[in-house]
Amino acid sequence: AAPRLPLLLRIRQEPKKAGEDKKVKAVVVRLNTPGGTVTASDIIYRELMLFRGRTKVPVIAIMMDVAASGGYYIALAADTIVAHPTTVTGSIGTILVTANVEGLMQKIGDTANTIKSAEHKDMGSPFRTLTPEERGIFQSVIDELQRQFVAKVVERRRIPADSARALADGRIYTAPQALGHRLVDAIGYVPDAIDAARRAA
């Protein structure tokens, strides 16, 4: 059997093939993911946006079990978002998690020695506590990535900025909650998404 292509490579190839096929009048993207890295989500979002702009072919997103965080970010590229009745979505936000095992290392009588080229090169190291300045640096990065995510919600969902910021506190939403907040366009099943694609085509 041929090896499976990495997801991002497939995301570039599939829209290209669909764009070259004049019989393709609409595309349905099925999402089932709790998210991932900001960059991977943004690349997929961009590829779908480029496809829409280049071909004028409508894109319908159907959310399955979970389309949260990066999964919702990707869905924002669609012309229409359909959530399965039991979908969990939202989780609009960005996160950076670091661990601190400095105390554990001391308990077992071990230490880590770090040789670094610059003051902040080891910020986020699990072997020491973050300094207040380092925490501020990390927070500024997270805040900027969050600003970009919220801006996409505002632009693509036509939700006022204040409302989008309030919705983007990291919480998850059921399909009916997401519909009530205008984060999705409809609740339905895959055949409903296909029907939406037919209407859009």
Side-chain angles (χ1 to χ4, degrees):
R4 294 187 65 183
L5 292 171
L7 178 61
L8 289 179
L9 182 57
R10 283 188 56 213
I11 287 296
R12 285 198 172 109
Q13 288 185 346
E14 295 297 330
K16 185 174 184 291
K17 285 194 302 189
E20 292 168 353
D21 186 343
K22 298 305 175 201
K23 293 178 185 171
V24 173
K25 302 298 182 194
V27 170
V28 176
V29 177
R30 188 171 58 180
L31 296 168
N32 196 15
T33 176
T37 69
V38 175
T39 300
S41 303
D42 191 61
I43 289 170
I44 297 168
Y45 170 89
R46 181 175 182 273
E47 290 297 325
L48 290 173
M49 292 295 287
L50 288 172
F51 169 79
R52 288 177 57 250
R54 185 174 62 246
T55 65
K56 309 302 182 218
V57 170
V59 174
I60 313 301
I62 174 70
M63 298 174 163
M64 303 307 288
D65 298 284
V66 180
S69 194
Y72 185 71
Y73 191 113
I74 294 165
L76 289 171
D79 297 283
T80 303
I81 302 174
V82 179
H84 191 275
T86 57
T87 292
V88 173
T89 189
S91 188
I92 301 167
T94 50
I95 186 171
L96 172 71
V97 178
T98 63
N100 185 342
V101 298
E102 184 178 20
L104 175 63
M105 297 286 285
Q106 290 170 353
K107 282 183 181 176
I108 62 173
D110 203 354
T111 59
N113 295 308
T114 302
I115 300 164
K116 54 189 179 177
S117 62
E119 179 184 358
H120 299 299
K121 187 60 184 163
D122 68 334
M123 67 182 213
S125 167
F127 301 113
R128 67 173 184 80
T129 303
L130 281 174
T131 68
E133 183 183 7
E134 290 168 340
R135 181 171 291 281
I137 292 168
F138 277 133
Q139 189 65 56
S140 71
V141 170
I142 293 300
D143 290 346
E144 172 56 23
L145 293 173
Q146 177 72 351
R147 186 198 63 73
Q148 292 177 34
F149 197 164
V150 171
K152 283 181 174 50
V153 175
V154 170
E155 176 192 349
R156 299 294 301 148
R157 299 304 303 166
R158 295 181 177 86
I159 295 174
D162 288 346
S163 299
R165 280 192 292 274
L167 293 169
D169 66 358
R171 77 181 69 192
I172 56 174
Y173 300 101
T174 64
Q177 290 169 339
L179 183 62
H181 291 303
R182 297 173 29 210
L183 295 173
V184 302
D185 297 295
I187 297 173
Y189 295 87
V190 172
D192 298 311
I194 293 169
D195 286 343
R198 282 195 189 101
R199 289 193 301 272

